Amino acid sequence: MGRTDVLIVGAGPVGLTAALELRRRGVTCRVIDKLRAPVPHARAVGIQPRTLELWDRAGVADDALAAAVPMRGQLVYIDGVERSRVGLTLPPDVPYGFAALPQYETERILTEHLERYGTTVERGTELVSFVQDGGGVWSSVVTETGRTRDLRSRYLVGCDGAHSAVRKGLGLTFEGGAFAEEYMLADVETDWSLPPGYAVRATRPGGDGRPDDLLVGIPLPGRSRYRMSMLVPPELSSSGGPPDPVAHGTREGLRPELAHIQAVVDRLAPEPATVSGMRWSSVFRISHRIVDRYGTGRVFVAGDAAHIHPPTGAQGMNTGIQDAVNLAWKLALATAGLTTPSLLESYDAERRPVGEEVVGRTVRHATGGGVPSGPDDLGTVMLREAQLLVGYRDGPLTGALSGGPGAPDSGDRAPDCGGLVGPLTRYGVRLFDLLRRGPDHTLVLYGPDTAALDRFGGAVAELARRTHGRVPVVALLGIGEPVEGNSRVPLWSDSRAEFRRIYRTEAPTAFLVRPDGYLATRFGPDNVTELSAYLTRVLRT
């Protein structure tokens, strides 16, 4: 019998992220996956800027950026004529852009980081059943040798995909439906002269206005390499096979050949092109579904186990990674005995509305031609696609809003800024550099001068008392103020006034940043009660 704090089922990007977030907080966990080896497929490809921000906090971003290629935009062709060219541009204050990284590379990078904490994936191990009680969860698994074992964990997290055994074991509903179309996927090289870094969408409209022929190419690392998707030809259709109640994902045993891919390229590519070097191909189906709740008691689901939807905009894997980060820091506090059950209940309250919005939006995009549309301006659309507008202002952990219109406030993403200069630095560092120094909450103080910062003494004392000194404090001074090296807390100068501008503050203000990079609360030096109220919502008193 094995014991651990958290058992994670599924070693895809979501499960690996959950494990990494737990291990870097000192929580023991085991990761099992029924597959004997990682799948070498370029399935989920797009990496959103928000995911890179979270990977920044975990120390993963540099390795991901070294392996990825930039996504610069999308070219849309109808009947061979270019109809639009959309650039994936974001405000200069956003530290990362859109990237393309094959899923097998994402899993490799996350696995390597996880192994640095002494945790390896237990492959060929399948969850067959589980039972939870007041103290934890008993899980029955079958190992690679066919042996049945019982594992004891305090919590169980299902990151085991669209056909999740954890979701089924919990009896969660998975409401939604399936698209009638089937698609081919292939990882190939092509010799067209289209600009690098641009996704390509080429269609031929049918009689009802919807495309009756489709080619989508997403750039991958490597010379002229793309992950291509297209409608499946009749000879590869799996419609005659056994019914799939979920109908989502790749179909085993159906492998398109290079000739199938070339035929579609011949029909739809905007210029003559030859495909070659196929690494992998498959047939897949798409569904749109979401669970009725993200967990029960000590068992939770995340990623495709909780929500599935069209791949439009590369929202799925990124949403799942953010599920994992949201849940992990709360589980870390729970395993340490520092919180109440209500904090774990906030996982569903915060993340399920996000899942519902993503499912609805991607379905609208998929049925509307694959291009984001609606009343919002292009800048807002790009921020939403980048998942930078995800927030929890309506969540149970959010307190009073005090920042004013347009200001980052309780429940919002904590944006980055640059130009922070310390007593021993000549070049400015980023706020994210300071937030990366620990896996817990961080209190950021801003004041135009040291006298203003001193007014936060009560808040700092309250935070230290309630968290036993676990939460670091960073203090920022207004532009032009001298930075001394003997301060009680790390002191930095907002030398370019970027923090003041981005956080929209002139007066002394404190910002408590959550472990997942969202603002827990924003308050002034005379409002320690707002900080105390948040800590009461999160910590066991």
Side-chain angles (χ1 to χ4, degrees):
M1 182 184 69
R3 292 181 179 271
T4 191
D5 286 330
V6 182
L7 175 62
I8 297 170
V9 183
V14 177
L16 292 170
T17 296
L20 178 59
E21 291 293 314
L22 290 168
R23 292 298 295 124
R24 71 190 193 93
R25 292 176 170 85
V27 179
T28 63
C29 68
R30 297 177 69 169
V31 185
I32 64 172
D33 196 296
K34 65 181 180 181
L35 296 179
R36 294 175 181 267
V39 178
H41 300 164
R43 292 183 294 186
V45 171
I47 305 297
Q48 303 295 359
R50 182 56 181 160
T51 296
L52 288 169
E53 290 185 351
L54 295 175
W55 283 351
D56 184 314
R57 291 180 68 91
V60 175
D62 285 348
D63 289 338
L65 293 172
V69 292
M71 281 284 294
R72 296 188 170 92
Q74 178 176 252
L75 307 173
V76 178
Y77 297 88
I78 301 177
D79 279 338
V81 178
E82 183 178 328
R83 298 301 177 92
S84 69
R85 181 175 297 218
V86 179
L88 297 178
T89 57
L90 293 167
D93 296 332
V94 176
Y96 297 107
F98 297 85
L101 184 67
Q103 184 171 329
Y104 56 80
E105 280 289 271
T106 296
E107 293 178 2
R108 175 188 64 80
I109 292 167
L110 292 172
T111 298
E112 290 175 355
H113 279 263
L114 181 61
E115 289 175 346
R116 295 173 190 173
Y117 291 93
T119 300
T120 58
V121 176
E122 300 172 45
R123 293 205 165 272
T125 304
E126 181 175 4
L127 176 76
V128 292
S129 65
F130 63 87
V131 177
Q132 60 176 313
D133 53 43
V137 185
W138 286 105
S139 298
S140 178
V141 304
V142 176
T143 67
E144 188 175 20
T145 62
R147 177 188 174 192
T148 299
R149 297 186 60 195
D150 291 329
L151 303 180
R152 180 66 169 174
S153 61
R154 298 173 68 183
Y155 298 94
L156 172 65
V157 181
C159 306
D160 46 344
H163 301 274
S164 168
V166 175
R167 184 186 67 242
K168 295 172 184 176
L170 275 180
L172 304 179
T173 64
F174 206 31
E175 298 297 327
F179 288 86
E181 297 85 0
E182 291 181 283
Y183 298 86
M184 296 187 292
L185 275 181
D187 178 349
V188 297
E189 293 179 6
T190 180
D191 62 356
W192 60 34
S193 62
L194 301 179
Y198 278 80
V200 177
R201 179 182 175 88
T203 62
R204 184 178 63 197
D208 60 356
R210 298 182 65 183
D212 68 356
D213 210 354
L214 171 71
L215 169 65
V216 175
I218 307 295
L220 296 174
R223 181 179 174 84
S224 300
R225 185 162 288 279
Y226 287 79
R227 192 209 67 187
M228 291 191 174
S229 58
M230 55 211 72
L231 294 173
V232 74
E235 64 268 24
L236 290 177
S237 174
S238 62
S239 58
D244 182 347
V246 175
H248 190 84
T250 57
R251 305 284 296 190
E252 292 300 323
L254 294 172
R255 295 286 185 268
E257 298 179 358
L258 194 62
H260 293 110
I261 311 304
Q262 184 66 58
V264 180
V265 170
D266 289 343
R267 292 196 306 268
L268 294 178
E271 63 180 50
T274 300
V275 295
S276 61
M278 185 165 70
R279 292 177 175 170
W280 163 77
S281 68
S282 182
V283 170
F284 75 104
R285 293 283 305 276
I286 297 173
S287 289
H288 51 94
R289 297 180 181 275
I290 188 166
V291 293
D292 54 329
R293 59 190 184 280
Y294 275 31
T296 300
R298 292 175 172 268
V299 183
F300 305 89
V301 290
D304 282 1
H307 47 80
I308 54 175
H309 35 77
T312 310
Q315 300 295 295
M317 180 187 69
N318 294 272
T319 300
I321 286 173
Q322 292 174 53
D323 292 342
V325 175
N326 183 290
L327 177 60
W329 73 265
K330 297 170 182 178
L331 283 174
L333 288 176
T335 58
L338 298 176
T339 189
T340 62
S342 62
L343 180 63
L344 292 179
E345 292 167 1
S346 74
Y347 169 60
D348 176 85
E350 290 187 335
R351 292 305 299 172
R352 191 171 184 278
V354 175
E356 289 178 326
E357 191 276 333
V358 170
V359 171
R361 173 160 48 91
T362 54
V363 169
R364 289 192 301 272
H365 291 175
T367 56
V371 179
S373 61
D376 295 323
D377 62 88
L378 184 59
T380 300
V381 169
M382 287 298 106
L383 289 172
R384 183 175 294 114
E385 293 296 301
Q387 299 196 339
L388 296 172
L389 298 184
V390 173
Y392 307 124
R393 283 197 178 192
D394 296 328
L397 303 183
T398 302
L401 303 180
S402 60
D409 218 323
S410 180
D412 294 340
R413 160 185 167 265
D416 197 11
C417 71
L420 304 180
V421 177
L424 294 175
T425 60
R426 295 188 178 186
Y427 296 98
V429 302
R430 298 162 50 205
L431 178 63
F432 280 10
D433 293 330
L434 306 183
L435 297 179
R436 196 189 306 120
R437 298 184 177 188
D440 299 311
H441 289 72
T442 302
L443 182 64
V444 180
L445 308 177
Y446 174 82
D449 51 42
T450 53
L453 291 176
D454 288 341
R455 295 173 59 192
F456 287 105
V460 172
E462 171 73 358
L463 184 67
R465 181 183 70 83
R466 296 286 296 274
T467 66
H468 305 287
R470 288 181 49 165
V471 174
V473 181
V474 173
L476 307 180
L477 279 169
I479 187 171
E481 288 294 310
V483 177
E484 302 295 337
N486 57 356
S487 151
R488 288 175 296 176
V489 299
L491 198 60
W492 299 81
S493 169
D494 184 21
S495 68
R496 300 198 299 254
E498 286 189 19
F499 184 90
R500 184 183 69 184
R501 173 178 58 83
I502 293 171
Y503 281 77
R504 301 198 180 191
T505 181
E506 299 285 345
T509 311
F511 302 84
L512 185 63
V513 182
R514 294 175 15 164
D516 54 359
Y518 288 88
L519 289 177
T521 185
R522 171 181 181 142
F523 60 95
D526 302 319
N527 192 15
V528 179
T529 55
E530 181 60 31
L531 171 65
S532 188
Y534 172 80
L535 295 176
T536 298
R537 289 190 291 271
V538 170
L539 300 177
R540 187 185 300 276
T541 56

